[in-house]
Structure formats: structure tokens, C-alpha cells
Amino acid sequence: MNVAVGTQEQARNDAYSLPLEKIDPANADRFQNDTIWPYFERLRREAPIHYTADSAYGPYWSVTKWNDIMAVDTNHEVFSSADGIVLATLESIRENEKIRGPRDRNAGGFISMDPPHHGPKRKTVTPVVAPDNLARMAPQVRERAGLILDSLPIGQEFDWVDRVSKELTAMTLATLFDFPFEDRRKLTYWSDMFTNAPGHGPARSWAHKKEAADECFGAFADLWNQRVNAEPSFDMISMLAHSPATRNMDPREYQGHVVLLIIGGNDTTRNTISGSVYALNRFPEQYAKLRANNGLVTSMVSETIRWQTPLAHMRRTALRDFDLKGHKIKEGDKVVMWYVSGNRDEDVIADPNAYIIDRERPRQHLSFGFGIHRCVGNRIAELQLQIIWEEIMKRFPDIRVAGEPTRTHSSFVKGYETLPVVIPARN
Amino acid sequence: MPKIKYIEHNGKEHVADVPEGWSVMEGAVKNMIPGIDADCGGACACATCHVFVDDPAMAAKIPPKTDMEETMLDFAPEIAPNSRLSCQIKVTKELDGLVVRMPQSQH
């Protein structure tokens, strides 16, 4: 533990001694070693709208306080998603262009589109995550959660990420796509191959990433062809293949939707499930509170979504020059909304670094974004978290974190590669 | 003080005295009436305070939807022509007796 404390102290010293303009909050190394916090704290205090002139991502603005993030997120007329929603490294932009040619505007999934392109495409898939369908899916998610938990070893260390978080979310995603169930972990693998830079996660090189993308897009092209020639069914691929808004998409736009739905439907919930176990161990008095009152599962889920912030940021591009609280944002500038920082904004959230499962307004968090691009699958994410914890509480008095997790090397996906745990006993 | 009646999706009714100037959403949240989540806190930036205003005469007393309200509602499930975001309905004397009904769930 002393090593970790020392690292955090060093990070605090570094964060406050660097010249402000040299701060590059998107540095992925700091997300991996969990030393981002003092940097964002300093930016919120001293430069809440901040410009990094030179970085691996090129120049970009950082918006780190709640109200400013809200102002950018709800102003889609100025802050466009059509040029992409992730702050990508210049290297990854170059490598992707080599493979697929220059990126067209509004050509990815609907999350990377502005109105009027965005709305009809988003609405194509929303029935799958609407209340009626969630109610239909809940018993199935519960049964699967039970089977996963019943298969876990007792008194023996194992990786929670692999055995539980990835497994449950892969099953749910396979159902949403009506993807071959036995191949479900390919979805997890492809997601990790899309989000990781070479040398991180399972990705070895750009060529390796391309190989995985080709395999993924090939499998999804087959699914499209199957569904388009069959009667419409209630899964996202069939809906995309039959809806007037999406059935004439070119392959590249379809691929953009596949990437969006795989990452959005997988990494986020996966990492929040892992984050819930980790947070309840970091804050044992909160775990005790939960054990004493199962009724707190719902608010614990929302608090975990805030505390974890499974997607650390969303990026926009200014469509015209814009004055954001006295800062001259120029047309074409990249603007990053750091949800991970807004969720720790002490002016809006009381005691924001603490994990408190019975907050007065637990749903007050930025993790789903706000405005027209607000997370479409938020309720199915909450449903999976709610159910897994209801089933955990029935079975296990304790899940004990047995060592520090390894974290994802990314300033976008804020998650865990591994989380060693021990379950000492069954109820 | 204007009285607002909130009807949960399961039919349970709540009547609250809501000060003029508050929104209908605030009237629910501050009186702990369930069924309105208001995740964004009243910024017209989500759709988790969705309600139905059934009485056309009452609905006519509420200023029309802004583009942003239309857009946010457009992405919500269970939308009807009488759907509103309750954070965008400011309580006035004229709205005394307003009845709002809640959807199955807020998205």
C-alpha cells in the first residue's frame, strides 16, 4: 500500500508543479496508474477551461467543471460530434486513415452524427432498450447472473473481470444483437481490440488491430445479410437492416454502428460492474451499509456509475468560433468534456471523492452525458448492475478484493483489465 | 399556493402545494413524489422528468415546447402528443389544479 500512497503523493506534487499550459490531462499512462485526480483537481480550480497546445493528441481544449460540461454537451449546434467523439492520438488517426482512408463527417455510428442525421438512426435501435423490452429481458439476465455467480470458486482467488463482468455483459450484448451465443466473448475481444492502442490490452500492433476489425466486420456483415433476407426480428441488427432510416447505410456507416454498439454495450457496464466490487472494498463502511440494507442497491448502482465514470470523456469539434466563458474557441478546435472530472466537481457534488451509496441525489452524475447524445442504453446498464448485485447479496456475505486491479491504458475507457478477488463463503 | 396532482404509472395519486416559480419537476422531487427522476436537475438535457398533461384546457395554459424540449422528448419512449418535460413547466396561479400523469419509466 505504501508504494501506491507514494505514487499518489508524487502525482500531486507533479500536478501542482507543472506549468499549467504543460498539463496534458489525456495522458493515458496516468489513467492506467490512477494518478489523474490531482491534475483534474488543479484544472477545476485554476483553469476550468484549459488549452493543451501540444500533445500526442494534437492541440485540444479541456472542460472540467460540471456546469461548463453541461453547456458544451447541450450545445450541439456549435459543438459537433460529426468528426468523432473520442480524443484520438495523432498516431491512431494516421493508422486508421491508412487502412480505411480519410474519415468522412457523419459517417460513423449515430453517436458521431449531428442532426438531422443523428435522430432517425438513433431511434432505430431505441425500442430494444425501451421499458417493455427491458422488462422482458430482466428474468433472462437474472437467470444468467445466477448461473455465473453459482459457478464461482469459494475461498480461492480469481479474476472478477473475466469471470463475471465480461461474461454477463457479453451475454446481454449477444442477446441484443441475436449474435451466436457460444461466440459471445468475441464481442468482448473485438471491443478491447478497438479501444486499446498497440501494446495494451490484447492489441499487439496496428496490423493485429486491423485483423481483429476485419474479423468483426466480416462477422457482422454476415449477420446483416442473414437478417436483411429474413422477416424483421427484435434485435438491433435486424432493426438496422430493416428500418427505412438505416437499411441503405453504406458498409462503413454500418461498421461505425457496430463499433458504437459493441463498445457502448460492453465496456461501460463491464467496467462499472468491476468498479462496484472495487469501490465497496475501498469504502468498507459503505459495503457494511449495503449488507444492512439491500434496498440501497439502486442508489449504490448510480453512485458507482458516478464514481467509476466508465467513459472518462466525450469529445466535440467546434463548428464555428465560440466564446466559452472568455476563452476563444476557434472553428475546428477539439473540445473534450471530462465527465470524470465533472463527476468530482466539489461545487455540485458534496464530498465528491467519497463513495457514498445513499447520496440524496445519486442519479446526479455526468456519466451518461446530457443532451441529444445522452447514453441510449443507460437503463439496460443499470438493469444489469441492479440484478447482479441483488443476486450477489442473496449468495455471498462478502467479495474481497485480493490485490490492486490493473487498469485500462486509455483516457476514454476508464476501466479494469483484471480485478483479483476472493469470495470467502456462501450465505 | 397552486395545487398540482401527480399520478404515478400505477395509479397512485399525490397532491402537492407547489410555490409559484418552481417547476412541476421541482414540485415532485422536493416533495419526494416518486416517478420523476430529473437526472439533469432541470436543464432540459435529458428526458427523465417526462409527464403527460391530459387536460387540453390546462395544456393550453403552458407555454409551448422549445426546440430542445421537443428534441429531448423525441428520444424518449412512450411519447404522446401531450408529453412534456416537467422541468419546463413553470408553476403559475393559472396552473392551480394541474394534473400530470407519469410514464411507465423515465429514460
Side-chain angles (χ1 to χ4, degrees):
Chain A
M1 275 323 264
N2 285 335
V3 176
V5 171
T7 310
Q8 293 298 340
E9 272 173 18
Q10 184 63 44
R12 178 158 292 277
N13 287 337
D14 292 349
Y16 278 91
S17 57
L18 266 177
L20 260 183
E21 66 275 13
K22 291 284 176 210
I23 292 183
D24 172 16
N27 179 332
D29 294 345
R30 290 201 289 261
F31 280 84
Q32 188 169 42
N33 59 28
D34 198 36
T35 52
I36 56 174
W37 306 104
Y39 292 89
F40 284 115
E41 180 192 88
R42 183 170 178 214
L43 291 183
R44 285 194 302 275
R45 287 176 182 172
E46 298 177 27
I49 295 161
H50 171 269
Y51 189 67
T52 304
D54 184 28
S55 78
Y57 308 87
Y60 65 96
W61 292 92
S62 285
V63 183
T64 50
K65 283 186 73 74
W66 178 288
N67 288 329
D68 299 331
I69 291 169
M70 192 69 117
V72 172
D73 224 357
T74 52
N75 190 350
H76 53 266
E77 279 159 11
V78 171
F79 298 106
S80 165
S81 296
D83 290 306
I85 48 90
V86 177
L87 183 68
T89 60
L90 299 177
E91 185 190 5
S92 77
I93 294 169
R94 254 192 331 265
E95 292 294 332
N96 282 323
E97 281 186 0
K98 263 195 243 164
I99 297 167
R100 275 177 260 282
R103 191 183 183 288
D104 296 325
R105 304 191 75 239
N106 289 305
F110 56 79
I111 196 173
S112 316
M113 291 181 184
D114 290 339
H117 308 279
H118 163 257
K121 289 176 182 168
R122 174 182 170 119
K123 280 197 269 180
T124 297
V125 300
T126 46
V128 181
V129 287
D132 286 340
N133 201 44
L134 293 189
R136 267 195 295 276
M137 284 186 71
Q140 187 182 41
V141 174
R142 190 174 299 281
E143 189 191 334
R144 291 169 173 175
L147 289 172
I148 291 171
L149 296 174
D150 288 339
S151 77
L152 298 174
I154 299 298
Q156 190 188 320
E157 188 176 313
F158 67 93
D159 177 18
W160 181 266
V161 172
D162 178 50
R163 295 285 297 266
V164 183
S165 308
K166 285 186 177 178
E167 193 56 8
L168 183 67
T169 51
M171 286 179 173
T172 305
L173 191 58
T175 300
L176 295 175
F177 286 142
D178 193 14
F179 185 86
F181 196 70
E182 61 283 6
D183 290 339
R184 62 187 178 277
R185 291 295 284 266
K186 284 188 179 173
L187 297 169
T188 321
Y189 171 71
W190 291 329
S191 180
D192 288 342
M193 289 298 282
F194 285 127
T195 56
N196 277 288
H200 299 283
R204 293 192 301 268
S205 62
W206 291 104
H208 188 214
K209 276 169 70 77
K210 179 182 185 302
E211 197 181 297
D214 288 347
E215 186 198 13
C216 170
F217 295 148
F220 274 88
D222 291 346
L223 284 183
W224 175 284
N225 292 334
Q226 257 174 39
R227 304 290 147 80
V228 81
N229 294 317
E231 286 300 303
S233 55
F234 207 73
D235 67 83
M236 292 197 286
I237 304 303
S238 179
M239 286 166 158
L240 290 172
H242 288 278
S243 158
T246 48
R247 66 186 176 209
N248 297 319
M249 284 192 291
D250 65 38
R252 190 148 162 205
E253 189 182 323
Y254 174 53
Q255 291 167 4
H257 281 87
V258 167
V259 174
L260 157 63
L261 297 170
I262 286 184
I263 298 173
N266 185 327
D267 285 56
T268 50
T269 309
R270 177 213 299 181
N271 288 321
T272 310
I273 292 174
S274 303
S276 61
V277 172
Y278 182 59
L280 288 166
N281 272 264
R282 282 267 301 267
F283 298 85
E285 75 291 352
Q286 301 297 314
Y287 203 169
K289 226 189 259 179
L290 183 67
R291 277 189 207 101
N293 179 4
N294 284 3
L296 290 174
V297 168
T298 307
S299 60
M300 179 276 283
V301 164
S302 286
E303 172 67 350
T304 308
I305 295 169
R306 179 192 73 87
W307 186 84
Q308 179 61 33
T309 319
L311 294 180
H313 78 258
M314 284 284 162
R315 190 260 287 187
R316 300 288 184 258
T317 306
L319 288 181
R320 56 174 171 81
D321 292 357
F322 188 77
D323 187 307
L324 186 63
K325 293 179 104 177
H327 299 270
K328 308 280 182 231
I329 299 193
K330 292 258 176 286
E331 180 183 341
D333 282 358
K334 292 176 180 176
V335 179
V336 180
M337 301 176 284
W338 290 106
Y339 295 152
V340 69
S341 172
N343 275 338
R344 302 290 176 105
D345 183 346
E346 35 289 275
D347 290 342
V348 176
I349 311 274
D351 198 3
N353 291 318
Y355 176 78
I356 304 171
I357 65 168
D358 52 353
R359 284 182 183 274
E360 196 181 334
R361 289 195 53 206
R363 303 189 57 83
Q364 182 186 35
H365 63 71
L366 291 165
S367 302
F368 295 137
F370 283 112
I372 63 170
H373 293 288
R374 183 171 163 81
C375 176
V376 76
N378 56 353
R379 295 293 177 176
I380 196 160
E382 292 172 346
L383 179 80
Q384 292 178 79
L385 275 144
Q386 174 90 23
I387 288 176
I388 192 83
W389 271 99
E390 285 170 358
E391 297 304 310
I392 289 170
M393 303 303 281
K394 284 180 200 164
R395 286 169 175 78
F396 309 128
D398 195 14
I399 303 168
R400 215 168 279 168
V401 169
E404 272 299 288
T406 50
R407 292 180 172 79
T408 308
H409 184 267
S410 169
S411 59
F412 182 63
V413 173
K414 187 170 164 297
Y416 307 92
E417 300 299 299
T418 58
L419 178 66
V421 302
V422 175
I423 299 177
R426 282 185 219 284
N427 278 342
Chain B
M1 215 182 280
K3 281 192 193 309
I4 310 286
K5 185 189 277 186
Y6 299 86
I7 308 178
E8 289 183 61
H9 190 256
N10 63 15
K12 193 166 176 213
E13 299 187 357
H14 308 259
V15 177
D17 294 313
V18 183
E20 287 176 60
W22 283 22
S23 68
V24 170
M25 176 276 282
E26 287 173 286
V29 170
K30 292 180 182 172
N31 286 296
M32 312 283 282
I33 295 169
I36 290 181
D37 290 339
D39 289 4
C40 79
C44 198
C46 66
T48 63
C49 67
H50 174 204
V51 296
F52 304 102
V53 180
D54 289 336
D55 177 2
M58 249 332 167
K61 294 181 190 170
I62 304 170
K65 290 170 237 184
T66 60
D67 286 351
M68 192 62 179
E69 186 182 346
E70 292 272 13
T71 306
M72 294 316 302
L73 277 169
D74 191 36
F75 294 136
E78 305 176 75
I79 290 306
N82 61 344
S83 289
R84 293 298 305 247
L85 293 182
S86 57
C87 73
Q88 299 301 299
I89 307 175
K90 191 165 268 193
V91 175
T92 58
K93 268 198 207 73
E94 290 68 42
L95 291 185
D96 184 29
L98 174 69
V99 180
V100 295
R101 218 164 29 80
M102 301 178 198
Q104 182 184 347
S105 65
Q106 301 286 356
H107 270 235

